[in-house]
């Protein structure tokens, strides 16, 4: 037991982690304790009489006297990995919108770019079993809004969540997946590849300690973070009693805007969505409307035609505009906050990528090597090319040109 | 000449809009009084030269034809002063002074719900229209529409398959059935429902008449249900009439990829009630 440092030698961060592990201390209780004791260390170091004064129950007292430093040490090891971060509620980088809610998570574990959490976000949520229409809508809206400077936040579930993340990856790559498990495991397993790409250009986030397994109860908790991080939530295909509906209700409770895509009344996946509209959520048909409602004017650098009208076809920048773009792909963009490279900037890279593909089949790794781009960039570009029907995935995850 | 003939004569006055017809009625009390007024009395109203000329020389020949039309079985005329004139229609800003009716005129005073939408509807749109019309008909509503192709037609058929109580408001004289594809439908409607028009039986088809007709569809009804309504469509103008008349507006949503539902979605954004099922409509309407 005493292989581990004495209490006084522990860092503040370790005290936060120790308190997260305390029995019976959820986000609300945590906040109440912080309010009185200021920081976790002071709670642990307080005189037991002070614990009495706060009516701290025996179970917690016992824990405070004997915290699980062994487990905390494991968290610290997890955090020591590259690109793994911890944001406590008191950290200046803790997302301000999330801090506003009454049950804000006391700590956030992050794998990826923690600065993204404080960017302007739009949540996109919906059913795990969407129709083709729902999936396509999610991907297109995410892609457009990503180009417009939004970070796309969702829950990395199958279906709408996944399509939204992919859409953002195909644009700027800025997307946040709030997980309902510890970040050392990927759920659902089908999204291993997605999680890998999100960690590269976006961020995986969880309030749950590494090692937290899949628990049904944790998913509704996760949903409040998805909505709270975001200025607004867009609901696409939410059946009755779905998780997406919880997220939507959270958004309303948290005073955030709620947008809903309508659909056929014969589509049972739309029942929850339509109920939300009846209850006052805003019906939206185009992604441009969302910008308008949030009073953000469309970025002139992004394709202005994309999504100003709904159509029957996927609107992606045509190869003409990709090729004719006068601007060069450059990493020294003048506005560091204006993340999204306009789609036309990607033109040369796309053509190069197609050339690397040649006439055979190629792996992503191979393309990464040849192109000097990151795996994330190559993946998102391939997705975009795939959507346009220019490349196709072959068996074994290899890519090939279609013509 | 009897009173009815004076109503019919005034209905044929050139360029006399319903609202001006009403002004004249309010001023003089009856069509007969308008015709019998002295020119000095008429001058007070600054009538147009067309109208002044016509009042001195009405077309009694055509009025006689209307009278003949009215002698046929199940043909009726309801003037604004007729006790059988539908009360709810009388309440609108510009009610038609006369209604030509073919079928059961008492239906005009029954509880109605209008269902309208595009002529170029999808099969899904037609199915939705048919199902709502059918269910509402079973609930005791008469279904009112414009007998156009697409949503209108499907709504009438849906009601015919239930109680048969359905009202088609036409934009031309009742002598002509338009569109020709709806000959059979019109025949069925006359049997258990009613065809109605504010235009004299010989009035030909004119675009602007269809727009005028829309205010009667909404004006007869407690509410209007929109299914597959594109932007700038006739159905959307019916919805606008309903709003102006203080009636309920209901809209069925659809895919954002279907341009035919753009008007419906716009109406929902503007405050129309989104409708998925029968109860969404029933719960908004007074039950009596």
């Amino acid at each position: 037991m005493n292989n581990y440092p004495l209490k006084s030698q522990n860092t503040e961060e370790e005290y936060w982690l120790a308190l997260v592990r305390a029995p019976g201390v959820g986000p609300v209780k945590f906040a109440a304790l912080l309010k009185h004791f200021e920081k976790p260390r002071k709670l642990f170091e307080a005189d037991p009489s002070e614990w009495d004064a706060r009516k701290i129950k025996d179970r917690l007292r016992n824990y405070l006297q004997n915290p699980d430093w062994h487990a905390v040490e494991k968290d610290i090891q997890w955090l020591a990995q590259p690109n793994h971060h911890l944001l406590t509620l008191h950290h200046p980088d803790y997302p301000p919108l999330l801090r506003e809610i009454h049950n804000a998570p006391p700590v956030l574990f992050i794998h990826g770019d923690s600065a993204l959490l404080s960017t302007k976000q739009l949540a996109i949520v919906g059913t795990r079993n969407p129709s083709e229409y729902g999936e396509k809508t999610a991907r297109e809206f995410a892609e457009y809004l990503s180009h417009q400077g939004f970070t796309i936040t969702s829950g990395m579930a199958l279906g709408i969540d996944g399509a939204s993340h992919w859409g953002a990856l195909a644009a700027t790559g800025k997307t946040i997946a709030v997980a309902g498990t510890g970040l050392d495991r990927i759920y659902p397993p089908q999204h291993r590849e997605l999680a890998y790409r999100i960690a590269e250009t976006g961020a995986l986030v969880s309030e749950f300690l590494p090692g937290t397994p899949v628990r049904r109860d944790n998913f509704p908790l996760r949903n409040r973070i998805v909505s709270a991080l975001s200025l607004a939530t867009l609901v696409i295909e939410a059946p009755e009693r779905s998780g997406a509906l919880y997220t939507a209700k959270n958004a309303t409770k948290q005073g955030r805007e709620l947008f809903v895509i309508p659909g056929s009344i014969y589509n049972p996946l739309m029942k929850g969505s339509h109920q939300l509209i009846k209850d006052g959520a805003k019906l939206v048909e185009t992604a441009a409307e969302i910008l308008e409602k949030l009073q953000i004017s469309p970025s002139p650098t992004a394709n202005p035609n994309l999504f100003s009208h709904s159509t029957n076809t996927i609107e992606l920048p045509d190869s003409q505009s990709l090729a004719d773009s006068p601007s060069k792909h450059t990493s020294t963009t003048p506005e560091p906050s204006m993340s999204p490279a306009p789609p036309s900037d990607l033109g040369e890279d796309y053509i190069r990528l197609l050339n690397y593909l040649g006439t055979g089949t190629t792996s992503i790794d191979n393309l990464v090597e040849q192109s000097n781009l990151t795996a994330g960039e190559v993946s998102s570009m391939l997705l975009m090319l795939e959507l346009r029907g220019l490349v196709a995935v072959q068996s074994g995850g290899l890519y090939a040109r279609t013509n | 000449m009897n009173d009815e003939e004076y109503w019919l004569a005034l209905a044929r006055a050139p360029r006399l809009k319903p609202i001006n017809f009403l002004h004249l009625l309010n001023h003089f009390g009856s069509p007969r009084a308008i015709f019998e007024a002295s020119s000095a009395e008429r001058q007070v109203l600054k009538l147009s030269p067309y109208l002044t000329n016509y009042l001195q020389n009405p077309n009694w020949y055509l009025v006689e034809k209307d009278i003949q039309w009215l002698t046929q079985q199940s043909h009726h005329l309801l003037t604004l002063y007729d006790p059988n004139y539908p009360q709810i229609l009388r309440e609108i800003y510009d009610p038609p002074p006369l209604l030509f009716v073919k079928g059961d005129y008492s239906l005009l005073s029954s509880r109605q719900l209008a269902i309208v939408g595009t002529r170029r509807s999808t099969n899904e749109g037609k199915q939705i229209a048919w199902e709502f019309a059918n269910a509402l008909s079973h609930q005791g509503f008469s279904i009112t529409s414009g007998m156009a192709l697409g949503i209108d037609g499907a709504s009438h058929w849906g009601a015919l398959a239930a109680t048969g109580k359905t009202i088609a408001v036409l934009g031309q004289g009742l002598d002509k059935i338009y569109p020709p594809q709806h000959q059979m439908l019109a025949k069925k409607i006359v049997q258990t429902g009613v065809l109605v028009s504010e235009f004299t039986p010989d009035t030909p088809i004119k675009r602007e008449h269809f727009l005028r007709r829309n205010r009667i569809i909404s004006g007869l009804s407690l509410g209007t249900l929109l299914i597959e309504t594109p932007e700038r469509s006739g159905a959307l103008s019916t919805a606008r009439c309903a709003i102006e008349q203080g009636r309920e507006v209901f809209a069925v949503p659809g895919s954002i990829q279907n341009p035919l539902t753009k008007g419906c979605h716009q109406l929902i954004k503007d405050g129309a009630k989104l409708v998925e099922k029968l109860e969404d409509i029933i719960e908004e309407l007074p039950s009596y």
Side-chain angles (χ1 to χ4, degrees), chain B residues 204-264:
Chain B
I205 289 145
K206 280 190 186 169
R207 265 190 82 78
E208 61 267 31
H209 284 175
F210 287 102
L211 282 176
R212 260 176 76 176
R213 163 280 297 271
N214 292 339
R215 81 186 193 291
I216 304 178
I217 294 174
S218 59
L220 281 167
S221 307
L222 294 169
T224 296
L225 173 63
L226 284 289
I227 298 169
E228 287 195 331
T229 304
E231 289 173 302
R232 288 182 297 277
S233 59
L236 208 51
S237 88
T238 310
R240 304 265 173 244
C241 290
I243 293 165
E244 278 165 31
Q245 293 161 357
R247 308 290 163 80
E248 297 286 343
V249 178
F250 304 99
V252 175
S255 161
I256 56 171
Q257 290 165 1
N258 177 1
L260 296 176
T261 46
K262 274 207 163 290
C264 290

Side-chain angles (χ1 to χ4, degrees), chain B residues 1-9 32 35-36 58-61 63-64 67:
Chain B
M1 298 292 160
N2 62 28
D3 282 344
E4 206 168 58
E5 284 164 312
Y6 281 109
W7 279 91
L8 290 166
R32 180 195 292 273
F35 283 98
E36 290 177 348
N59 194 335
W60 294 118
Y61 171 73
V63 167
E64 187 48 40
I67 294 291

